[in-house]
mmCIF file of all heavy atoms in Angstrom:
data_model
loop_
_atom_site.group_PDB
_atom_site.id
_atom_site.type_symbol
_atom_site.label_atom_id
_atom_site.label_comp_id
_atom_site.label_asym_id
_atom_site.label_seq_id
_atom_site.Cartn_x
_atom_site.Cartn_y
_atom_site.Cartn_z
ATOM 1 N N PHE A 35 -149.089 31.819 74.731
ATOM 2 C CA PHE A 35 -149.660 32.580 73.618
ATOM 3 C C PHE A 35 -148.689 32.739 72.452
ATOM 4 O O PHE A 35 -149.074 32.618 71.289
ATOM 5 C CB PHE A 35 -150.123 33.953 74.095
ATOM 6 C CG PHE A 35 -150.781 34.756 73.002
ATOM 7 C CD1 PHE A 35 -152.052 34.441 72.565
ATOM 8 C CD2 PHE A 35 -150.113 35.819 72.410
ATOM 9 C CE1 PHE A 35 -152.667 35.175 71.553
ATOM 10 C CE2 PHE A 35 -150.714 36.551 71.397
ATOM 11 C CZ PHE A 35 -151.996 36.232 70.974
ATOM 12 N N PHE A 38 -148.616 29.610 70.519
ATOM 13 C CA PHE A 38 -149.902 29.439 69.842
ATOM 14 C C PHE A 38 -149.980 30.314 68.600
ATOM 15 O O PHE A 38 -150.398 29.872 67.526
ATOM 16 C CB PHE A 38 -151.035 29.788 70.817
ATOM 17 C CG PHE A 38 -152.393 29.893 70.185
ATOM 18 C CD1 PHE A 38 -152.976 28.802 69.546
ATOM 19 C CD2 PHE A 38 -153.101 31.087 70.235
ATOM 20 C CE1 PHE A 38 -154.234 28.906 68.963
ATOM 21 C CE2 PHE A 38 -154.359 31.192 69.659
ATOM 22 C CZ PHE A 38 -154.917 30.105 69.023
ATOM 23 N N GLN A 39 -149.518 31.557 68.705
ATOM 24 C CA GLN A 39 -149.569 32.475 67.570
ATOM 25 C C GLN A 39 -148.606 32.041 66.465
ATOM 26 O O GLN A 39 -148.933 32.133 65.275
ATOM 27 C CB GLN A 39 -149.230 33.894 68.040
ATOM 28 C CG GLN A 39 -149.655 34.968 67.067
ATOM 29 C CD GLN A 39 -149.526 36.353 67.663
ATOM 30 O OE1 GLN A 39 -148.445 36.737 68.117
ATOM 31 N NE2 GLN A 39 -150.611 37.114 67.656
ATOM 32 N N ILE A 42 -150.307 29.128 64.678
ATOM 33 C CA ILE A 42 -151.367 29.615 63.798
ATOM 34 C C ILE A 42 -150.742 30.218 62.534
ATOM 35 O O ILE A 42 -151.239 30.039 61.427
ATOM 36 C CB ILE A 42 -152.236 30.671 64.513
ATOM 37 C CG1 ILE A 42 -153.120 29.997 65.557
ATOM 38 C CG2 ILE A 42 -153.106 31.420 63.514
ATOM 39 C CD1 ILE A 42 -154.251 29.183 64.998
ATOM 40 N N GLY A 43 -149.617 30.916 62.710
ATOM 41 C CA GLY A 43 -148.930 31.509 61.564
ATOM 42 C C GLY A 43 -148.427 30.481 60.577
ATOM 43 O O GLY A 43 -148.246 30.779 59.393
ATOM 44 N N LEU A 48 -154.700 29.471 57.844
ATOM 45 C CA LEU A 48 -154.926 30.714 58.571
ATOM 46 C C LEU A 48 -153.704 31.616 58.654
ATOM 47 O O LEU A 48 -153.714 32.600 59.399
ATOM 48 C CB LEU A 48 -155.407 30.392 59.998
ATOM 49 C CG LEU A 48 -156.673 29.528 60.107
ATOM 50 C CD1 LEU A 48 -156.937 29.192 61.566
ATOM 51 C CD2 LEU A 48 -157.868 30.228 59.498
ATOM 52 N N SER A 49 -152.640 31.307 57.912
ATOM 53 C CA SER A 49 -151.380 32.052 58.041
ATOM 54 C C SER A 49 -151.568 33.553 57.948
ATOM 55 O O SER A 49 -151.028 34.314 58.751
ATOM 56 C CB SER A 49 -150.401 31.592 56.949
ATOM 57 O OG SER A 49 -150.175 30.213 57.031
ATOM 58 N N ALA A 50 -152.327 34.002 56.961
ATOM 59 C CA ALA A 50 -152.468 35.438 56.716
ATOM 60 C C ALA A 50 -153.243 36.143 57.811
ATOM 61 O O ALA A 50 -153.157 37.364 57.954
ATOM 62 C CB ALA A 50 -153.153 35.663 55.368
ATOM 63 N N TYR A 51 -154.013 35.395 58.593
ATOM 64 C CA TYR A 51 -154.848 35.991 59.632
ATOM 65 C C TYR A 51 -154.391 35.592 61.031
ATOM 66 O O TYR A 51 -155.167 35.663 61.992
ATOM 67 C CB TYR A 51 -156.307 35.561 59.443
ATOM 68 C CG TYR A 51 -156.869 35.905 58.095
ATOM 69 C CD1 TYR A 51 -157.079 34.920 57.135
ATOM 70 C CD2 TYR A 51 -157.186 37.217 57.765
ATOM 71 C CE1 TYR A 51 -157.595 35.236 55.893
ATOM 72 C CE2 TYR A 51 -157.701 37.542 56.524
ATOM 73 C CZ TYR A 51 -157.908 36.543 55.585
ATOM 74 O OH TYR A 51 -158.411 36.852 54.352
ATOM 75 N N ALA A 52 -153.143 35.188 61.155
ATOM 76 C CA ALA A 52 -152.652 34.656 62.433
ATOM 77 C C ALA A 52 -152.824 35.652 63.578
ATOM 78 O O ALA A 52 -153.209 35.281 64.687
ATOM 79 C CB ALA A 52 -151.191 34.247 62.305
ATOM 80 N N GLY A 53 -152.527 36.931 63.337
ATOM 81 C CA GLY A 53 -152.653 37.927 64.386
ATOM 82 C C GLY A 53 -154.085 38.052 64.875
ATOM 83 O O GLY A 53 -154.368 37.993 66.077
ATOM 84 N N PHE A 54 -155.034 38.222 63.960
ATOM 85 C CA PHE A 54 -156.443 38.374 64.315
ATOM 86 C C PHE A 54 -157.012 37.093 64.915
ATOM 87 O O PHE A 54 -157.662 37.117 65.974
ATOM 88 C CB PHE A 54 -157.244 38.781 63.076
ATOM 89 C CG PHE A 54 -158.731 38.651 63.249
ATOM 90 C CD1 PHE A 54 -159.441 39.578 63.999
ATOM 91 C CD2 PHE A 54 -159.417 37.596 62.663
ATOM 92 C CE1 PHE A 54 -160.810 39.451 64.169
ATOM 93 C CE2 PHE A 54 -160.785 37.463 62.823
ATOM 94 C CZ PHE A 54 -161.486 38.397 63.574
ATOM 95 N N VAL A 55 -156.775 35.956 64.252
ATOM 96 C CA VAL A 55 -157.373 34.691 64.684
ATOM 97 C C VAL A 55 -156.870 34.284 66.065
ATOM 98 O O VAL A 55 -157.640 33.776 66.892
ATOM 99 C CB VAL A 55 -157.094 33.580 63.651
ATOM 100 C CG1 VAL A 55 -157.474 32.206 64.198
ATOM 101 C CG2 VAL A 55 -157.859 33.855 62.362
ATOM 102 N N SER A 56 -155.584 34.481 66.353
ATOM 103 C CA SER A 56 -155.037 34.050 67.633
ATOM 104 C C SER A 56 -155.728 34.745 68.809
ATOM 105 O O SER A 56 -155.952 34.138 69.855
ATOM 106 C CB SER A 56 -153.519 34.309 67.679
ATOM 107 O OG SER A 56 -153.240 35.683 67.478
ATOM 108 N N TYR A 57 -156.070 36.030 68.635
ATOM 109 C CA TYR A 57 -156.806 36.743 69.682
ATOM 110 C C TYR A 57 -158.293 36.386 69.654
ATOM 111 O O TYR A 57 -158.925 36.186 70.702
ATOM 112 C CB TYR A 57 -156.648 38.261 69.508
ATOM 113 C CG TYR A 57 -155.270 38.776 69.858
ATOM 114 C CD1 TYR A 57 -154.342 39.055 68.865
ATOM 115 C CD2 TYR A 57 -154.901 38.972 71.190
ATOM 116 C CE1 TYR A 57 -153.077 39.532 69.187
ATOM 117 C CE2 TYR A 57 -153.639 39.445 71.517
ATOM 118 C CZ TYR A 57 -152.732 39.717 70.510
ATOM 119 O OH TYR A 57 -151.478 40.180 70.826
ATOM 120 N N ALA A 58 -158.845 36.313 68.437
ATOM 121 C CA ALA A 58 -160.288 36.094 68.296
ATOM 122 C C ALA A 58 -160.724 34.762 68.891
ATOM 123 O O ALA A 58 -161.761 34.684 69.564
ATOM 124 C CB ALA A 58 -160.689 36.167 66.818
ATOM 125 N N VAL A 59 -159.953 33.701 68.655
ATOM 126 C CA VAL A 59 -160.332 32.379 69.168
ATOM 127 C C VAL A 59 -160.405 32.388 70.694
ATOM 128 O O VAL A 59 -161.363 31.885 71.292
ATOM 129 C CB VAL A 59 -159.343 31.305 68.680
ATOM 130 C CG1 VAL A 59 -159.555 29.991 69.426
ATOM 131 C CG2 VAL A 59 -159.512 31.075 67.181
ATOM 132 N N ILE A 60 -159.409 32.969 71.331
ATOM 133 C CA ILE A 60 -159.394 33.020 72.803
ATOM 134 C C ILE A 60 -160.563 33.839 73.328
ATOM 135 O O ILE A 60 -161.269 33.424 74.265
ATOM 136 C CB ILE A 60 -158.059 33.602 73.302
ATOM 137 C CG1 ILE A 60 -156.905 32.662 72.943
ATOM 138 C CG2 ILE A 60 -158.109 33.836 74.809
ATOM 139 C CD1 ILE A 60 -155.538 33.219 73.245
ATOM 140 N N ILE A 61 -160.798 35.005 72.738
ATOM 141 C CA ILE A 61 -161.891 35.870 73.184
ATOM 142 C C ILE A 61 -163.243 35.180 73.007
ATOM 143 O O ILE A 61 -164.100 35.206 73.909
ATOM 144 C CB ILE A 61 -161.859 37.215 72.426
ATOM 145 C CG1 ILE A 61 -160.609 38.012 72.828
ATOM 146 C CG2 ILE A 61 -163.122 38.024 72.692
ATOM 147 C CD1 ILE A 61 -160.355 39.231 71.973
ATOM 148 N N ILE A 62 -163.446 34.548 71.850
ATOM 149 C CA ILE A 62 -164.721 33.861 71.597
ATOM 150 C C ILE A 62 -164.927 32.720 72.580
ATOM 151 O O ILE A 62 -166.026 32.540 73.126
ATOM 152 C CB ILE A 62 -164.766 33.349 70.142
ATOM 153 C CG1 ILE A 62 -164.885 34.535 69.173
ATOM 154 C CG2 ILE A 62 -165.942 32.382 69.932
ATOM 155 C CD1 ILE A 62 -164.713 34.154 67.718
ATOM 156 N N ILE A 163 -167.442 30.829 56.884
ATOM 157 C CA ILE A 163 -166.354 31.662 57.425
ATOM 158 C C ILE A 163 -165.005 30.960 57.290
ATOM 159 O O ILE A 163 -164.025 31.540 56.816
ATOM 160 C CB ILE A 163 -166.637 32.023 58.900
ATOM 161 C CG1 ILE A 163 -167.803 32.996 58.995
ATOM 162 C CG2 ILE A 163 -165.385 32.614 59.556
ATOM 163 C CD1 ILE A 163 -168.268 33.269 60.412
ATOM 164 N N TYR A 166 -163.949 30.616 53.635
ATOM 165 C CA TYR A 166 -163.480 31.909 53.128
ATOM 166 C C TYR A 166 -162.064 32.207 53.622
ATOM 167 O O TYR A 166 -161.197 32.642 52.850
ATOM 168 C CB TYR A 166 -164.422 33.028 53.555
ATOM 169 C CG TYR A 166 -163.856 34.407 53.291
ATOM 170 C CD1 TYR A 166 -163.848 34.948 52.008
ATOM 171 C CD2 TYR A 166 -163.286 35.153 54.332
ATOM 172 C CE1 TYR A 166 -163.306 36.194 51.765
ATOM 173 C CE2 TYR A 166 -162.745 36.408 54.094
ATOM 174 C CZ TYR A 166 -162.761 36.917 52.810
ATOM 175 O OH TYR A 166 -162.206 38.156 52.558
ATOM 176 N N LEU A 167 -161.829 31.986 54.919
ATOM 177 C CA LEU A 167 -160.501 32.223 55.475
ATOM 178 C C LEU A 167 -159.455 31.370 54.770
ATOM 179 O O LEU A 167 -158.336 31.821 54.509
ATOM 180 C CB LEU A 167 -160.498 31.939 56.977
ATOM 181 C CG LEU A 167 -161.254 32.920 57.874
ATOM 182 C CD1 LEU A 167 -161.243 32.435 59.313
ATOM 183 C CD2 LEU A 167 -160.668 34.315 57.777
ATOM 184 N N ASN A 180 -148.254 39.625 53.467
ATOM 185 C CA ASN A 180 -148.048 40.718 54.423
ATOM 186 C C ASN A 180 -146.923 40.389 55.396
ATOM 187 O O ASN A 180 -146.963 40.768 56.548
ATOM 188 C CB ASN A 180 -149.340 40.997 55.183
ATOM 189 C CG ASN A 180 -149.824 39.762 55.949
ATOM 190 O OD1 ASN A 180 -149.263 38.675 55.819
ATOM 191 N ND2 ASN A 180 -150.864 39.935 56.739
ATOM 192 N N THR A 182 -145.893 37.255 56.327
ATOM 193 C CA THR A 182 -146.139 36.080 57.153
ATOM 194 C C THR A 182 -145.542 34.883 56.439
ATOM 195 O O THR A 182 -145.998 34.515 55.356
ATOM 196 C CB THR A 182 -147.642 35.853 57.372
ATOM 197 O OG1 THR A 182 -148.204 37.004 58.011
ATOM 198 C CG2 THR A 182 -147.879 34.638 58.251
ATOM 199 N N LYS A 430 -143.700 38.057 60.643
ATOM 200 C CA LYS A 430 -144.710 38.049 61.701
ATOM 201 C C LYS A 430 -144.868 36.646 62.282
ATOM 202 O O LYS A 430 -144.739 35.655 61.580
ATOM 203 C CB LYS A 430 -146.058 38.505 61.133
ATOM 204 C CG LYS A 430 -146.091 39.943 60.655
ATOM 205 C CD LYS A 430 -147.468 40.274 60.128
ATOM 206 C CE LYS A 430 -147.549 41.712 59.636
ATOM 207 N NZ LYS A 430 -148.884 42.025 59.096
ATOM 208 N N HIS A 431 -145.147 36.604 63.582
ATOM 209 C CA HIS A 431 -145.507 35.370 64.278
ATOM 210 C C HIS A 431 -144.431 34.282 64.130
ATOM 211 O O HIS A 431 -144.744 33.111 63.953
ATOM 212 C CB HIS A 431 -146.852 34.829 63.763
ATOM 213 C CG HIS A 431 -147.874 35.900 63.539
ATOM 214 N ND1 HIS A 431 -148.283 36.744 64.541
ATOM 215 C CD2 HIS A 431 -148.547 36.279 62.417
ATOM 216 C CE1 HIS A 431 -149.183 37.594 64.045
ATOM 217 N NE2 HIS A 431 -149.350 37.330 62.770
#
Side-chain angles (χ1 to χ4, degrees):
F35 183 74
F38 170 61
Q39 198 170 56
I42 287 288
L48 303 175
S49 303
Y51 303 106
F54 166 75
V55 169
S56 58
Y57 288 100
V59 168
I60 295 173
I61 293 170
I62 290 171
I163 290 173
Y166 169 77
L167 290 176
N180 59 354
T182 301
K430 295 180 180 179
H431 319 302

